Amino acid sequence: MESLIGLLIAPPLFGAALLLVGGRRLDRVGHWIGVVMAAASFAVAAVLFFDMLDRGGEERTLNQHLFSWVPVADFRADVGFHLDQLSMTFVLLITGVGSLIHLYSVGYMAHDERRRRFFGYLNLFLAAMLLLVLADNFLLLYVGWEGVGLASYLLIGFWQHKPSAATAAKKAFIVNRVGDVGLSIAILLMFTTFGSFAFDEVLPNATSTSEATLTGIGLMLLLAACGKSAQVPLQSWLGDAMEGPTPVSALIHAATMVTAGVYLITRSGAIFNAAPDAQTVVVTVGAVTLLFGAIVGCAKDDIKKALAGSTMSQIGYMMLAAGLGPIGYVFAIMHLVTHGFFKAGLFLGAGSVMHGMNDEVDMRRYGGLRKHMPVTFATFGLAYLAIIGFPYLSGFFSKDEIIYAGFAKGDTQGWVLGGVMLLGAALTAYYMTRIMLLTFFGEKRWQPDAHGHEPHPHESPATMTIPMIILAFGSVGAGFLFDLNESFVHWLEPVTGLAHGHSPVSHGEVSIAATAVMVVGVAGAWFQYGRRPVPVVAPAGRFLTRAARRDLLQDDFNHAALVTPGNYLTRGLVYVDHKLVDGVVNGTAAAFGGLSGRLRRVQNGFARSYAVSMFGGAAVLIAATLLMRAV
């Protein structure tokens, strides 16, 4: 079975190459080639998964070595794959949800002239993400990491004729490059410390080096994770990334890019377990981002940007859980998987709404769409119930486990983390109920567009609704299946480890508290948006509301803290370059030019002048000789 691991990456990689270089002759069938390649990868993943289920213990870990990539003296970098329970979980999520998004894109991008290229980029995205989670060493993981960054740049800026899309793509690319510097430094530290990049040489020996070194490596890995997973302080690109086509938003937010940071932290668990200070920073970043994203989501009127804030917040839950170490690794991944179902369903539902509303994204111009789009309403509604933690849906199981793990941290820190997560749960229920009410309930508020065309809401075609229906089943049942007899815990425990901690509250008390705050959040949104008419133009609001609409001033902060000082630094360096460096160079050139100009006057071409010069020179030499003899 080891030989099949490479076949996971081969179909989408081949599909990307074929669609991007095959030319216009593939325009009519290119989209179906992309779908088939994604589905083929999922089929291989299913075969490997069922084979893994038949194995026991350490036999579930498979390795495939392809070739030595860079063998130079003592330096050795290989291309090899590592498939265990953790990477298999990601592979199934990436290929399964990714295939559904490919199918959905057939209908969503039906009228786009560059649809073949779009599917080529989607296949490239899948191949890069699969390489990231299957790599058996950090250097090869870095290749997949950069591949995901490239594919996201191409997809976010796919409609580059829109200045906003081109700007958003550049912003995502640049912000992620900041995080990538952290990963590159971490890899260099690993090599100087352990002499290797391989997981099986770095991770088992993590406890053999100093805590300070491991803390440095952990913090650099966290910086990389913050970039890919849009965590504070590298979160500013995520909302702008909504300028890309909606299937891109679903792929980035549900199954691929934003999950990469959580995977990196969990895979590097041995390093963080031996560096408690780094773990504390991970927990802090997760907690801050959890509330940051939720507050932003509460104020956005753009349906996709409201969901983007939600993604930021939910990844914050996962990051916080991963920072708890063995207490939370399993539940971070469990929530990541359930989130993959309901968040993909929410984004695809948002795309379906936009499809029926002439690409309108302002929820204040929706209203009453449940009557016109019943399938979209039902599937979106089930995903909504899952994300707010409605009892016995997928989000209920995974989120409650993370909250309980937070309390299990113990002492004051446990109560603070538990309180932050419960507040986040209340805000989640509020902003998601707000989205439901503004979109599907109340009276219609849509108006003619700039060209005088009034929307005529209608249900999306089957290629779009079928993936939404399948994801709705996952939103409902995935958590229950994972929680049944703790099957998911037992599945991941051999890789991630598991510790129970000492929680001052029981599982039942956590569930009651989480359900109670969910009800409060739903009631608050209903009181504000369900009982009264919704104005088409949002009121000005108070300072916090205005700040949340501007992403809590994150761009303003980046501009003040980074862009403006950077501009002054650049201007200063340019001034020094012009006045000092160029001044020295140009001054030296001018001096030699002036000297040569004066010497050039001696060479006038007249024989009498040369004779006088020779006579004068001879006279000087004779005089000098006589003087030396006299002395």
Side-chain angles (χ1 to χ4, degrees), residues 179-198:
D180 295 349
V181 171
L183 182 55
S184 61
I185 294 174
I187 292 173
L188 293 174
L189 288 174
M190 289 176 193
F191 185 74
T192 56
T193 303
F194 304 103
S196 174
F197 310 111

Side-chain angles (χ1 to χ4, degrees), residues 6 60 73 101 121 124 138 157 162 219 293 327 375 380 383 398 446 466 591:
R60 286 182 168 176
I101 293 172
Y121 293 159
L124 178 63
F138 284 96
K162 297 166 54 179
L219 292 177
I327 299 176
V375 176
F380 193 99
S398 57
W446 55 82
I466 289 174

Side-chain angles (χ1 to χ4, degrees), residues 151-168:
S152 66
Y153 169 78
L154 296 172
L155 286 168
I156 293 170
F158 183 73
W159 288 327
Q160 69 265 32
H161 60 275
K162 297 166 54 179
S164 57
T167 301

Side-chain angles (χ1 to χ4, degrees), residues 69-106:
W69 179 17
V70 188
V72 180
D74 294 333
F75 178 86
R76 181 182 178 88
D78 296 331
V79 173
F81 301 133
H82 178 84
L83 185 67
D84 57 14
Q85 294 92 315
L86 177 61
S87 50
M88 175 56 77
T89 301
F90 276 84
V91 166
L92 289 173
L93 177 67
I94 294 164
T95 58
V97 175
S99 296
L100 294 175
I101 293 172
H102 275 68
L103 178 60
Y104 177 94
S105 300
V106 172

Side-chain angles (χ1 to χ4, degrees), residues 112-119 121 157-160:
D112 196 293
E113 296 180 352
R114 300 168 64 239
R115 182 167 62 168
R116 169 184 54 83
R117 184 177 295 274
F118 178 78
F119 276 85
Y121 293 159
F158 183 73
W159 288 327
Q160 69 265 32

Side-chain angles (χ1 to χ4, degrees), residues 307-560:
L307 293 176
S310 169
T311 296
M312 194 187 305
S313 179
Q314 298 302 309
I315 299 294
Y317 272 104
M318 302 170 207
M319 197 67 70
L320 190 156
L324 296 175
I327 299 176
Y329 287 138
V330 170
F331 306 117
I333 303 302
M334 182 178 178
H335 192 56
L336 185 149
V337 175
T338 59
H339 177 266
F341 285 110
F342 57 67
K343 186 50 63 69
L346 290 170
F347 268 108
L348 296 189
S352 180
V353 170
M354 293 167 58
H355 181 269
M357 291 292 292
N358 294 349
D359 290 328
E360 178 62 68
V361 296
D362 189 344
M363 293 183 291
R364 292 181 178 275
R365 297 179 181 270
Y366 292 163
L369 293 182
R370 70 184 187 281
K371 302 174 184 177
H372 304 276
M373 311 178 72
V375 176
T376 300
F377 168 65
T379 56
F380 193 99
L382 289 173
Y384 151 73
L385 293 175
I387 192 175
I388 68 173
F390 192 84
Y392 303 107
L393 271 65
S394 60
F396 169 80
F397 294 101
S398 57
K399 190 182 294 185
D400 283 12
E401 289 289 359
I402 292 178
I403 296 173
Y404 178 80
F407 278 112
K409 191 68 175 175
D411 301 328
T412 304
Q413 185 180 7
W415 284 102
V416 171
L417 294 178
V420 166
M421 287 188 281
L422 287 174
L423 176 58
L427 292 174
T428 301
Y430 174 85
Y431 66 69
M432 286 306 307
T433 304
R434 176 178 180 268
I435 293 174
M436 284 294 296
L437 293 174
L438 289 177
T439 304
F440 295 104
F441 292 89
E443 299 297 326
K444 74 168 190 175
R445 298 183 300 277
W446 55 82
Q447 299 175 355
D449 60 19
H451 303 287
H453 300 144
E454 183 171 332
H456 297 284
H458 57 278
E459 191 56 87
S460 299
T463 52
M464 295 173 64
T465 55
I466 289 174
M468 291 158 57
I469 293 171
I470 295 174
L471 289 170
F473 279 102
S475 299
V476 172
F480 177 77
L481 292 176
F482 291 159
D483 194 63
L484 183 64
N485 297 322
E486 297 187 336
S487 56
F488 194 73
V489 173
H490 296 315
W491 167 259
L492 280 183
E493 184 179 355
V495 180
T496 63
L498 180 66
H500 296 286
H502 302 284
S503 175
V505 296
S506 66
H507 277 92
E509 291 171 332
V510 168
S511 295
I512 292 172
T515 303
V517 298
M518 177 202 72
V519 172
V520 171
V522 171
W526 172 257
F527 180 81
Q528 187 170 358
Y529 296 98
R531 298 175 62 251
R532 64 190 70 177
V534 176
V536 176
V537 178
R542 298 180 179 179
F543 172 78
L544 181 59
T545 302
R546 297 195 302 272
R549 287 174 185 157
R550 296 176 59 186
D551 301 320
L552 291 180
L553 308 179
Q554 56 185 348
D555 286 332
D556 301 78
F557 174 79
N558 289 341
H559 193 276

